Amino acid sequence: MTTPILHPTEALSPEAEASTALIAVVITVVFLTLLSVVILIFFYLYKNKGSYVTYEPAEGEPSAVLQMETDSTKNREKEEYFI
């Protein structure tokens, strides 16, 4: 009585070996392509973290509102109003 593990297996034909190799190559290429796309997306998101501009003055700087008010008082005679 023999166990199923020890049964002799048939050798694959050259065509079957070639198709198995081709499937392995295709799977490897798809995996490497997906991996490279994920890496490119990661680097893009890491470099472009997204920044936004605030209009609040930094500490120690004069207020932009006060600067605008002083500029508007200097140029009062040049202003024109169209009604």
Side-chain angles (χ1 to χ4, degrees):
M1 192 154 127
T2 61
T3 61
I5 297 173
L6 299 177
H7 286 293
T9 58
E10 295 179 17
L12 294 175
S13 66
E15 294 85 17
E17 288 180 4
S19 65
T20 303
L22 180 66
I23 291 170
V25 168
V26 169
I27 290 173
T28 304
V29 167
V30 168
F31 176 74
L32 290 176
T33 303
L34 290 175
L35 183 65
S36 63
V37 167
V38 167
I39 290 172
L40 287 175
I41 289 173
F42 174 75
F43 280 125
Y44 174 77
L45 292 176
Y46 181 74
K47 297 276 183 186
N48 300 315
K49 290 183 180 178
S51 61
Y52 57 93
V53 179
T54 60
Y55 296 103
E56 299 172 0
E59 292 294 326
E61 291 186 14
S63 176
V65 175
L66 293 177
Q67 288 177 353
M68 291 174 58
E69 288 176 1
T70 57
D71 290 341
S72 65
T73 56
K74 291 178 185 175
N75 300 328
R76 285 262 181 217
E77 63 268 359
K78 294 181 182 179
E79 291 182 11
E80 295 182 22
Y81 297 99
F82 296 103
I83 300 176

